[in-house]
Amino acid sequence: MAKHSSSTRSSSTRSSSTIVLPSFLRKTMKAYALKAAIRDIGCELNRIGRSRNWRLTANKIQLQEIINFIEANEEQSWLWLAKHLKNQQETLTHDDLMFIAKQNSGITVNQLIAKTDCTAAQARRVIDELEFL
């Protein structure tokens, strides 16, 4: 049953992107815990054939959740993945920024900028809109 709910979550209306993770297992200590967390977020994580590379399929919000999870943990060998995902992540839309801000109540403009790499103007607009809801 849990598998069904996570697949439903990953098939949301937001578009998904596929990111190749080169040498995922070789670069990552405690990979079993990271793989479980990624799948719990609702993403698809599959090995590409018999290679050492893996494929991650996730939407923008899920990518941000993975980055937040990695940064909140103290496992140094996971930080490469957060950096890789940040580099691969597309620009977030206004709706994406609103969603992230709603998920993190009390978030400041600077925190939103740091978390999403958006501009100061985009962050201010989102925070202002949230204050007037």
Side-chain angles (χ1 to χ4, degrees), residues 14-128:
R14 299 187 187 277
S15 63
S16 295
S17 57
T18 301
I19 298 171
V20 174
L21 308 177
S23 302
F24 176 68
L25 292 179
R26 289 181 183 237
K27 293 180 182 179
T28 308
M29 300 295 291
K30 300 180 185 174
Y32 59 90
L34 182 57
K35 290 190 303 186
I38 289 171
R39 289 181 175 132
D40 284 346
I41 290 171
C43 307
E44 290 182 34
L45 182 64
N46 303 309
R47 187 172 175 191
I48 301 173
R50 294 180 60 171
S51 75
R52 61 176 78 158
N53 299 331
W54 288 66
R55 179 183 309 118
L56 172 67
T57 305
N59 64 39
K60 295 176 191 176
I61 302 303
Q62 290 169 329
L63 291 176
Q64 190 61 47
E65 288 181 34
I66 294 169
I67 292 167
N68 293 343
F69 172 80
I70 291 170
E71 291 175 348
N73 285 280
E74 296 182 9
E75 180 55 53
Q76 293 296 313
S77 69
W78 295 355
L79 294 177
W80 75 270
L81 180 58
K83 182 178 178 182
H84 183 71
L85 295 179
K86 284 180 185 177
N87 290 340
Q88 299 291 321
Q89 201 172 26
E90 300 171 17
T91 305
L92 295 171
T93 66
H94 181 74
D95 290 339
D96 294 334
L97 293 173
M98 284 293 288
F99 180 81
I100 291 168
K102 285 178 184 176
Q103 296 296 101
N104 299 282
S105 64
I107 193 168
T108 65
V109 170
N110 286 335
Q111 289 170 332
L112 186 58
I113 292 169
K115 188 174 280 245
T116 63
D117 201 31
C118 66
T119 66
Q122 290 172 314
R124 279 190 209 103
R125 191 175 318 120
V126 167
I127 299 299
D128 288 345

